[in-house]
Amino acid sequence: EVINAQLAALGKELDRRTALAAKLAPYDEGGCPIPAAVVKANMTNAFRLLMAQSDAPWGSLVVDSVLDRLEVSGMRTPDAAADEAVWKIWQDNRLDSESKLAHRSALLDGRAFALIWPEGGSESPAISFDDMTQMVISYAEGDRWRRNVAMRRWIDDDDVPLATLYRPDGIYKFRGPKSHHGADIKWEMREVGGEAWPLKNGYGIVPVVEFAVNRKLKAGRFPYARGEFEHCTGLLDRINLLTFLGLVVAIWMGFPLRGVIGDT
């Protein structure tokens, strides 16, 4: 019952964050959302036509301006041997490049996640990153550091939902019915050849770490975090609206000129 409750709660939060990520993505990638004023004025076709030539992903400008100032150049502690060991783990996991992806994801959506887990019987941990559409952590009530459980959820190539629950006592793997997405999935055990179920967690803690930015002192199992431009999407919409109106005026003012030179 505890496992099922955790799957449901984490899945619901993951759905909420996935919807937020879908809202923010166009501001970062281009293809800006159509402002409500344009929709109400029945000018959506004109907006798509004109903005296709002048759309600017303003969100990426905000994110990249911060990202350009983030660079990990080394590790330093009072123990030189520890520095060397940690730096080797860093290099073995190609984190010079991978860390930039994690930083960008956190700046865009407000959070990114790192999974630390030994692979192939090696004592050296493998580190992989996920964004907030695939990974979520639930914390102890009122504590932004003590992790109770984490879940990674994704869809495989056959459109089958898969999930892995990371608990201090073990790693639980699940699969859902094909083509069924969302928090209300009926999960069943997913057994992997050569692995116990659940898989023993030798660390004794949740092996997932969250990189959250723009946090607030708010209690709860899912602490607050915010992307760099999440709070000002309205301003970006206004910029796009003014750009669109400027293009409309420019075209309208160009009609007399085309009439003089015979361009009909």
Side-chain angles (χ1 to χ4, degrees):
E1 289 299 325
V2 173
I3 297 294
N4 289 333
Q6 289 178 335
L7 285 169
L10 292 167
K12 182 178 180 181
E13 178 64 15
L14 203 55
D15 285 349
R16 186 190 71 80
R17 294 180 181 180
T18 299
L20 174 61
K23 173 188 173 183
L24 298 176
Y27 295 98
D28 175 60
E29 300 169 359
C32 59
I34 300 177
V38 173
V39 175
K40 291 181 179 179
N42 295 320
M43 299 180 67
T44 55
N45 289 336
F47 185 87
R48 292 192 182 98
L49 175 65
L50 296 179
M51 292 303 289
Q53 306 171 54
S54 57
D55 184 23
W58 297 107
S60 65
L61 178 63
V62 176
V63 169
D64 291 344
S65 65
V66 180
L67 182 65
D68 288 343
R69 301 194 296 272
L70 294 177
E71 189 73 41
V72 178
S73 57
M75 312 288 176
R76 178 171 295 178
T77 70
D79 187 341
D83 291 348
E84 184 176 347
V86 172
W87 190 244
K88 182 178 186 304
I89 293 173
W90 181 274
Q91 296 299 329
D92 288 347
N93 284 278
R94 301 172 294 279
L95 296 186
D96 281 333
S97 59
E98 292 292 301
S99 64
K100 300 288 282 187
L101 298 178
H103 292 158
R104 194 178 199 286
S105 181
L107 293 170
L108 174 60
D109 297 323
R111 59 188 90 226
F113 301 86
L115 169 65
I116 301 94
W117 192 253
E119 291 185 351
S122 172
E123 293 184 0
S124 180
I127 301 173
S128 59
F129 295 110
D130 283 292
D131 66 10
M132 75 170 185
T133 67
Q134 290 193 202
M135 187 76 81
V136 59
I137 295 177
S138 176
Y139 294 82
E141 212 41 81
D143 191 320
R144 287 177 299 280
W145 304 103
R146 188 154 54 93
R147 306 180 300 279
N148 281 341
V149 61
M151 182 177 75
R152 184 176 190 268
R153 189 185 70 187
W154 71 103
I155 308 296
D156 71 4
D157 293 338
D158 296 322
D159 201 31
V160 175
L162 305 176
T164 301
L165 206 61
Y166 301 93
R167 291 164 47 96
D169 63 328
I171 311 301
Y172 299 74
K173 298 183 178 181
F174 301 90
R175 63 181 293 134
K178 185 174 181 178
S179 303
H180 192 134
H181 309 157
D184 61 342
I185 296 174
K186 302 299 182 183
W187 296 106
E188 60 184 31
M189 291 172 51
R190 173 167 55 96
E191 297 186 90
V192 179
E195 284 187 4
W197 199 100
L199 187 63
K200 183 180 179 181
N201 181 359
Y203 291 139
I205 59 172
V206 175
V208 182
V209 179
E210 181 175 21
F211 300 95
V213 299
N214 299 315
R215 304 176 77 177
K216 289 184 179 180
L217 287 172
K218 288 188 175 182
R221 291 181 299 165
F222 305 108
Y224 179 90
R226 171 181 59 75
E228 287 296 292
F229 65 86
E230 178 186 332
H231 62 307
C232 58
T233 54
L235 176 60
L236 302 184
D237 287 340
R238 186 166 62 186
I239 293 173
N240 288 325
L241 178 58
L242 292 175
T243 301
F244 167 66
L245 294 176
L247 291 170
V248 171
V249 171
I251 290 177
W252 179 262
M253 295 297 291
F255 282 147
L257 177 61
R258 287 199 292 273
V260 170
I261 64 177
D263 183 4
T264 58

